[in-house]
Amino acid sequence: MEWSLAGIISLVLVAFVLIQQMFVDQADARKIANYSIPGEQCDSGYIIDNGDQYEVHSAMTMANGSTIPSYVSSVDCSLRFRAEANQRILIRIVKFKLEHSVRCEADALYLLDGVEDGAALMSKHGYGLCGKTLTLPNYFSTTGNGVTVRFVSNGETQNDGFRMFITPFTTGDTCSGFRCSTHEKCITADAFCNGANQCEDGSDEPPIEVCNSAATLIRDVRIHCAGLLFIISFLMLFLSR
């Protein structure tokens, strides 16, 4: 039985594409969707619901000839995020420094418990967050499956801005993703070893040696799966002759 050169080349190419795609999928899956304020989605009415982990930060600019970047002035921008119906959302603020004012009436970050107009503020004192006294990291959890992040700045003083991670989670007995060691939050498996602490206890970012071992194991499994697919393809091609 003779094999055509075209058939052999096709088989090799199929295996190569499968192996390559496995590594691409793995890398893309662990990426965190990134949004800036202000940005394209500001106040468009669009609800962001196509991911399982997000980073939101203030867009930075050089203001008034300064050599130090600061957040954009004269902004009133809202981003709305919605998770699955059975999920809630954890917000982890890792950077925060805004202009201070009485009751945060100048520049402020507002976290609203939902995506609907009139959703309740999540801050305990009943107004926005401002200044630089917020203990970091700082955490907020929604009561439902949506959150609105609103940032307001006037045209006066700018500062270092903010950065946060938004991660949907469940708290049931079963977990198909990664379960944080404490608080029993179940988040996406892609949050494990992705370089960003998304559990309150940091258990999703163990020592680098553990992450490297996990990455090696995943790579080996994918390679073996690709090899198995190659063998199956070879047998199917052989039997079809």
Side-chain angles (χ1 to χ4, degrees):
M1 183 178 296
E2 295 182 357
W3 298 93
S4 69
L5 180 60
I8 295 174
I9 293 176
S10 298
L11 187 62
V12 173
L13 287 175
V14 167
F16 174 77
V17 170
L18 287 172
I19 294 172
Q20 183 184 47
Q21 190 61 46
M22 285 180 177
F23 286 106
V24 171
D25 290 344
Q26 179 185 4
D28 288 344
R30 294 184 179 275
K31 290 181 180 178
I32 301 175
N34 198 297
Y35 293 90
S36 63
I37 294 181
E40 294 180 359
Q41 288 80 15
C42 280
D43 304 311
S44 63
Y46 176 72
I47 297 177
I48 302 167
D49 59 0
N50 57 347
D52 52 17
Q53 48 181 343
Y54 310 95
E55 178 187 335
V56 179
H57 63 274
S58 51
M60 306 300 284
T61 185
M62 297 294 185
N64 301 321
S66 173
T67 58
I68 301 175
S70 60
Y71 55 77
V72 180
S73 64
S74 303
V75 168
D76 188 346
C77 169
S78 297
L79 295 180
R80 305 167 192 261
F81 297 87
R82 183 168 57 201
E84 299 293 336
N86 65 329
Q87 293 179 314
R88 294 165 60 197
I89 296 176
L90 175 68
I91 300 98
R92 181 177 189 266
I93 301 176
V94 296
K95 173 186 174 183
F96 190 84
K97 191 174 182 181
L98 305 181
E99 176 188 359
H100 176 74
S101 61
V102 177
R103 298 181 65 85
C104 298
E105 294 176 350
D107 299 353
L109 177 69
Y110 300 89
L111 300 177
L112 305 173
D113 193 8
V115 297
E116 305 81 9
D117 293 337
L121 274 171
M122 298 175 67
S123 48
K124 295 179 180 179
H125 46 57
Y127 48 88
L129 304 170
C130 67
K132 56 182 180 179
T133 58
L134 191 66
T135 302
L136 298 177
N138 207 292
Y139 301 90
F140 295 85
S141 293
T142 63
T143 59
N145 68 327
V147 64
T148 299
V149 180
R150 180 188 177 201
F151 177 53
V152 177
S153 67
N154 57 22
E156 298 177 4
T157 303
Q158 286 80 57
N159 221 311
D160 292 343
F162 60 86
R163 179 170 170 250
M164 71 184 74
F165 294 105
I166 295 177
T167 311
F169 70 92
T170 59
T171 55
D173 294 333
T174 60
C175 178
S176 59
F178 177 83
R179 188 179 294 279
C180 301
S181 296
T182 57
H183 306 290
E184 297 187 350
K185 290 182 173 65
C186 176
I187 62 178
T188 173
D190 294 324
F192 181 68
C193 290
N194 69 349
N197 284 325
Q198 288 161 270
C199 289
E200 292 163 273
D201 55 15
S203 57
D204 58 313
E205 297 299 322
I208 188 64
E209 296 82 6
V210 176
C211 289
N212 287 341
S213 297
T216 300
L217 177 60
I218 293 172
R219 181 197 63 196
D220 290 345
V221 169
R222 288 173 181 266
I223 289 175
H224 285 113
C225 288
L228 181 60
L229 286 173
F230 179 85
I231 293 173
I232 293 173
S233 299
F234 183 87
L235 290 175
M236 290 179 65
L237 184 61
F238 178 81
L239 293 175
S240 67
R241 299 291 294 178

